[in-house]
Amino acid sequence: MITKLNKKSVVLQNLSLQSGTAFLSYEELASLAKLQERLTDENDVNNFITRSANAPGSTEIASCVAKKYLDDPSLMDNLVVKTRFFLNLGYYFVPALSKAIDAIEEDITPVDEVCGMVPSIARDIAANFLELRNPARWDGNGDVPNDTYFSSMPLDFPIDNAYPNQTIRLQLVQVSKVNPHYVCACSIFEDESHAGITEKCTNGAGSIKEIEDAILFVSRIYELREGFSRDFVETVNMYPTEYRAIRKALYGEEALGGSTGVIFSNKVLFKDGSVMTITYTGDGKGKAWGEAVLTEKDSEKIVARSPISYTFANHWKLCFKGAVYHAFIKITQ
């Protein structure tokens, strides 16, 4: 039995407590009510999905789909959350469940990784070029030393592994006859008729890093011109114990208190060197949330940030400079 004591608190009587009485604030009571709603939704969804899995054709949900949700606790939890969302919009239970499944399936659909030009490829091209044209890594200032092999002949590098039918051309060129100074010119083209579609020159003639940066620069310009979209995809393995700790904090099982500070944190390294950090945090008052941030290679500066999520996310997605970074969460068995 619940009895109002005053405007700030209530008292629960006949509980299995030593004192026989528990005092709760309205905020705590609201948390308990939310937990009760969550537990009811869990029971309803679990019963329906179990029936769908065990008796094919007995419900509107395909048996194979139902079994997938039964086997993955994170998917089942998300199904409960999204079903409640559509119930609150006025849908009946079965349509709400169906729309929740559609939304989740769209979110977890595998993404084909399309990286384009990444630093590792650009670095290999730059190193190979200097090995063949300027093995001594002469910086390009003044006259070419007599004991140094140096060639200004262009070299072409097919980059089908980055962009279909495209080629990177590198060439050491002289930019001043009065005060000789050589730089490396970099261009990307599809065939000879389109040579020099995009071009960038370095400051000197012997730096792998400068040539790598020039290759990445012309590649990004090419992507903008052609509407090329990059998708970086990685999978984050999460232990069941980690997931249970997150779940307990997110879904109201700590309604009268809970975890304080970071519950889970994981760094995801992508092929271009960018890092996504996924973090779940609790405030110790029954609330928890997740967030993902993106930092560039060799930098702590945050360049993209996700909205705060008060539910568990199977798929985190951030965008930066024409690229989309995907991190899919997998609960290990």
Side-chain angles (χ1 to χ4, degrees):
M1 182 176 68
I2 301 177
T3 304
K4 185 188 296 183
L5 275 184
N6 50 51
K7 292 183 179 181
K8 294 185 179 180
S9 65
V10 295
V11 60
L12 275 67
Q13 296 178 334
N14 300 323
L15 296 181
S16 298
L17 300 175
Q18 291 182 354
S19 64
T21 302
F23 291 90
L24 298 176
S25 67
Y26 280 132
E27 290 78 11
E28 290 170 331
L29 186 59
S31 295
L32 286 175
K34 183 179 179 182
L35 175 59
Q36 177 61 38
E37 180 183 74
R38 166 79 190 185
L39 294 175
T40 301
D41 288 344
E42 283 183 6
N43 183 68
D44 293 342
V45 171
N46 186 73
N47 288 342
F48 191 89
I49 291 297
T50 300
R51 188 166 72 252
S52 301
N54 296 334
S58 63
T59 73
E60 294 80 352
I61 308 302
S63 176
C64 59
V65 174
K67 288 179 180 178
K68 180 172 70 173
Y69 283 78
L70 284 177
D71 292 340
D72 190 326
S74 67
L75 288 181
M76 182 63 85
D77 283 330
N78 270 341
L79 182 58
V80 172
V81 170
K82 292 189 182 298
T83 299
R84 169 48 55 186
F85 172 79
F86 287 109
L87 285 171
N88 289 341
L89 291 180
Y91 288 88
Y92 290 110
F93 178 75
V94 174
L97 185 69
S98 297
K99 291 188 74 67
I101 288 177
D102 290 342
I104 294 172
E105 290 299 312
E106 181 179 355
D107 183 55
I108 65 174
T109 298
V111 176
D112 292 330
E113 187 167 59
V114 181
C115 298
M117 182 62 68
V118 295
S120 59
I121 297 176
R123 194 177 308 115
D124 288 343
I125 292 174
N128 289 338
F129 172 73
L130 287 180
E131 186 66 27
L132 295 171
R133 291 293 183 260
N134 183 15
R137 310 284 174 82
W138 173 58
D139 63 9
N141 290 309
D143 295 323
V144 180
N146 293 330
D147 60 349
T148 299
Y149 174 77
F150 184 87
S151 174
S152 60
M153 291 292 292
L155 268 179
D156 291 344
F157 296 87
I159 51 172
D160 290 327
N161 54 343
Y163 314 113
N165 306 316
Q166 300 300 311
T167 299
I168 287 284
R169 172 168 291 176
L170 298 175
Q171 184 177 13
L172 296 169
V173 297
Q174 191 178 62
V175 293
S176 174
K177 292 185 178 180
V178 178
N179 297 304
H181 178 66
Y182 283 88
V183 298
C184 180
C186 174
S187 59
I188 183 172
F189 61 90
E190 184 171 356
D191 54 49
E192 288 298 330
S193 63
H194 294 86
I197 244 181
T198 302
E199 187 168 88
K200 171 73 173 177
C201 291
T202 62
N203 294 321
S207 169
I208 290 179
K209 183 64 170 65
E210 284 190 5
I211 298 175
E212 174 191 335
D213 290 344
I215 293 171
L216 291 172
F217 177 86
V218 299
S219 297
R220 299 297 170 260
I221 298 300
Y222 166 80
E223 291 171 359
L224 291 173
R225 291 169 63 106
E226 301 298 318
F228 184 92
S229 178
R230 290 178 291 146
D231 284 282
F232 296 95
V233 183
E234 295 293 340
T235 299
V236 179
N237 290 318
M238 181 180 290
Y239 292 113
T241 51
E242 294 174 320
Y243 175 69
R244 285 194 293 269
I246 295 171
R247 181 188 190 282
K248 187 177 181 181
L250 285 175
Y251 297 131
E253 294 178 27
E254 297 182 340
L256 302 183
S259 302
T260 301
V262 175
I263 304 168
F264 171 86
S265 183
N266 191 291
K267 292 183 180 295
V268 186
L269 177 64
F270 294 95
K271 288 184 174 62
D272 68 342
S274 298
V275 175
M276 182 189 295
T277 303
I278 301 169
T279 305
Y280 283 91
T281 307
D283 67 355
K285 301 178 181 179
K287 291 185 179 179
W289 58 90
E291 183 183 31
V293 297
L294 188 73
T295 54
E296 286 188 287
K297 179 184 178 183
D298 301 327
S299 172
E300 295 297 322
K301 181 182 178 181
I302 295 174
V303 295
R305 185 188 298 271
S306 73
I308 296 294
S309 175
Y310 293 99
T311 61
F312 184 80
N314 296 91
H315 176 198
W316 292 93
K317 181 170 66 175
L318 294 174
C319 302
F320 180 64
K321 286 187 176 180
V324 184
Y325 299 84
H326 304 265
F328 288 91
I329 309 298
K330 179 181 178 181
I331 311 299
T332 58
Q333 299 301 321

